[in-house]
Amino acid sequence: MARARTVYRCTECGADHAKWAGRCDACGEWNSLVEEAAAPSGAAAGASRRKGGAASLGAGGRVVEAQRISGIARADSARIRTGVAEFDFVLGGGIVPGSLVLVGGEPGIGKSTMLLQVAAALEAAGTPTLYVSGEESALQVKLRADRIGASAQLVPFLGETLVETVIATASRRAPAVMVVDSIQTVFTGDLEGAPGNVGQVRECAARLMRFAKEEGVAVLLIGHVTKGGGIAGPKTLEHIVDTVLYFEGESSLDHRVLRATKNRFGSVDEIGVFRMTEGGLDPVANPSELFLAHHSGPAASGSAVTALIEGTRPVLVEVQALAAKAGFGTPQRVSTGFDARRLAMLLAVLERRAGMPVASLDVFLNVVGGARLGEPAGDLAVAAALASSVHDRPIGTRTVFIGEVGLGGEVRPVSQVERRLAEAEKLGMKRAFVSARAAHARAPRSLEVRGVHGVADVIEALAT
Ligand code: TYD
Ligand code: MG
């Protein structure tokens, strides 16, 4: 087979090199050269410059029709609903035909399981799919399908890693949705590098993108994220693909969160929550239950609940704090699921504005269930959890805290208070602390809403 000409391109400055080198001699960057396929008609560009004139600049191209934007059909109506509701939800209502979706995540998190379930649900509804795997043998995929259920048996399977064969086969079968597991195992014969290196990963993704667009086949790519690097991760593909989904979770816990970080066809704020069971992934319709620690017996001190907005959905999340007398040296500040600098700020505010002696204490903060407190609305719950731990006085699990804490110790209102309160009521909360400026919010009747001006008010109220 005649190989296409390849070049080594610097990912920093874009300079081309005929041979690989450890260092780009154009910009001096180390380890930045990546093998790429050279443009097929490399001669055309040179020729046009010699001849001159606008017509020759387009040599090798052909004249095509442009169309008015008003004449373009909207894709919404044509979205493919997979039947895995949480997956559709995160995508913004289903898979857009002809789109390229990257599903990233650490090995073992459940990417193959989820996409096999998606393919199975599609097949069961009569939508043709193709599941391509270079990761696992047919037998391994069969064993997974046996766990997932009967519909997974319907999915056509292709064990193949050469991207040309994958595309040729998919082109013949014409599925509506194709899964490629994973982008790090497929390769093209046109490049010499091993599967998984940056050049291979980018070239294969680019070809699958062209295939998706030209034939209208939605392609779902699996991409492994590795902590240590070594193989090219999904980061190098984010700009190529239409949609990037990340599948995350603590592998020791059985729930998984699917999040969109880029979406050309929808919002990126939605999350989908699943639970890994013996029979595949189960969607979790009410994520709040997952993020509240289940207490048996009396509540412990140092724990407080807040209501966050994840995408469009309110979710209750529990924060746990533990303040203990420090040994020698600088006190430790360890925070999981909450920004460490924001914790330092809240501690300073508690010390100065509420007279709480925290400077000499070790402080540990943990957001339950691997959730993240990314919104300032969680500040008040963090402050309350810290105060509860310092005074060793439990708050009880029926109180929710919603508010941002400012440097002056003031409690500020946050967006969508009413929806947060409604979620709190749904999960059996009895009392809510919000900013006094938000206390007029329409609240469910069974919830006692207390407006506060500063963190000191909250601490005082909790002490009585
Ligand atoms: P997998 O989908 O292979 O992960 P990835 O493709 O992201 O590497 O899932 C791997 C884990 O999920 C593995 O530890 C086994 C577990 N699992 C279940 O607990 N239940 C199931 O039904 C399946 C299929 C897998
Ligand atoms: Mg896998």
Side-chain angles (χ1 to χ4, degrees), residues 31 45 58 84 112 119 129 193 280 303 310 316 344 351 362 374 381 391:
N31 286 327
V84 179
S112 305
T129 64
S303 133
E310 285 280 5
L316 293 199
E351 176 103 34
D362 280 342
H391 297 137

Side-chain angles (χ1 to χ4, degrees), residues 251-320:
S251 25
S252 54
L253 298 171
D254 59 4
H255 75 267
R256 307 277 182 266
V257 178
L258 185 69
R259 230 179 256 282
T261 60
K262 166 180 175 178
N263 194 352
R264 286 190 180 143
F265 312 111
S267 103
V268 292
D269 303 319
E270 304 297 351
I271 64 165
V273 183
F274 297 85
R275 194 188 311 248
M276 184 61 97
T277 69
E278 271 311 301
L281 289 156
D282 265 355
V284 176
N286 196 344
S288 290
E289 286 167 5
L290 215 57
F291 298 127
L292 296 181
H294 296 287
H295 298 286
S296 49
S301 67
S303 133
V305 176
T306 186
L308 301 181
I309 300 286
E310 285 280 5
T312 56
R313 292 193 287 188
V315 177
L316 293 199
V317 173
E318 178 172 341
V319 191
Q320 297 177 324

Side-chain angles (χ1 to χ4, degrees), residues 125-369:
T127 309
T129 64
L130 179 63
Y131 191 99
V132 181
S133 180
E135 289 270 318
E136 291 158 317
S137 68
L139 184 61
Q140 283 172 304
V141 174
K142 168 93 180 147
L143 290 175
R144 179 177 294 115
D146 288 345
R147 296 177 76 170
I148 291 173
S151 55
Q153 308 289 337
L154 303 171
V155 177
F157 171 79
L158 176 67
E160 179 58 56
T161 50
L162 187 66
V163 78
E164 286 85 351
T165 305
V166 170
I167 290 176
T169 309
S171 197
R172 171 73 58 82
R173 295 190 63 101
V177 177
M178 171 166 78
V179 176
V180 177
D181 186 1
S182 65
I183 188 63
Q184 282 107 350
T185 52
V186 291
F187 72 103
T188 162
D190 291 341
L191 295 182
E192 291 190 0
N197 79 18
V198 183
Q200 283 284 5
V201 163
R202 286 208 305 201
E203 180 64 24
C204 290
R207 287 190 193 193
L208 288 165
M209 179 67 152
R210 236 176 300 144
F211 167 72
K213 294 282 172 279
E214 279 167 18
E215 313 234 344
V217 175
V219 178
L220 310 179
L221 281 184
I222 288 178
H224 291 294
V225 177
T226 49
K227 286 209 179 91
I231 52 173
K235 285 266 173 265
T236 52
L237 295 179
E238 284 181 351
H239 65 285
I240 301 177
V241 303
D242 294 312
T243 302
V244 180
L245 306 180
Y246 276 101
F247 206 32
E248 326 169 305
E250 317 254 324
S251 25
S252 54
L253 298 171
D254 59 4
H255 75 267
R256 307 277 182 266
V257 178
L258 185 69
R259 230 179 256 282
T261 60
K262 166 180 175 178
N263 194 352
R264 286 190 180 143
F265 312 111
S267 103
V268 292
D269 303 319
E270 304 297 351
I271 64 165
V273 183
F274 297 85
R275 194 188 311 248
M276 184 61 97
T277 69
E278 271 311 301
L281 289 156
D282 265 355
V284 176
N286 196 344
S288 290
E289 286 167 5
L290 215 57
F291 298 127
L292 296 181
H294 296 287
H295 298 286
S296 49
S301 67
S303 133
V305 176
T306 186
L308 301 181
I309 300 286
E310 285 280 5
T312 56
R313 292 193 287 188
V315 177
L316 293 199
V317 173
E318 178 172 341
V319 191
Q320 297 177 324
L322 183 63
K325 204 154 167 33
F328 292 107
T330 323
Q332 292 193 65
R333 301 288 146 90
V334 181
S335 170
T336 313
F338 187 70
D339 183 54
R341 276 168 301 179
R342 196 137 189 111
L343 172 61
M345 183 210 102
L346 288 174
L347 287 169
V349 168
L350 286 174
E351 176 103 34
R352 289 287 303 277
R353 311 291 179 193
M356 234 169 65
V358 286
S360 63
L361 299 177
D362 280 342
V363 173
F364 304 93
L365 194 78
N366 176 46
V367 183
V368 170

Side-chain angles (χ1 to χ4, degrees), residues 376-464:
D379 287 354
L380 194 57
V382 173
L386 289 167
S388 163
S389 177
V390 169
H391 297 137
D392 196 19
R393 193 179 289 131
I395 297 170
T397 51
R398 299 268 170 248
T399 304
V400 62
F401 300 86
I402 303 165
E404 177 182 348
V405 174
L407 284 179
E410 79 278 15
V411 177
R412 300 214 194 114
V414 296
S415 65
Q416 306 190 49
V417 172
E418 285 163 17
R419 298 190 54 219
R420 298 176 202 252
L421 291 175
E423 175 73 7
E425 189 254 358
K426 204 167 91 191
L427 285 153
M429 298 288 151
K430 295 289 174 222
R431 185 165 62 149
F433 284 96
V434 298
S435 162
R437 283 191 277 151
H440 60 272
R442 241 180 327 114
R445 212 170 295 151
S446 64
L447 200 64
E448 177 205 346
V449 178
R450 300 176 63 166
V452 290
H453 294 278
V455 269
D457 301 347
V458 179
I459 292 167
E460 201 185 300
L462 292 176
T464 54

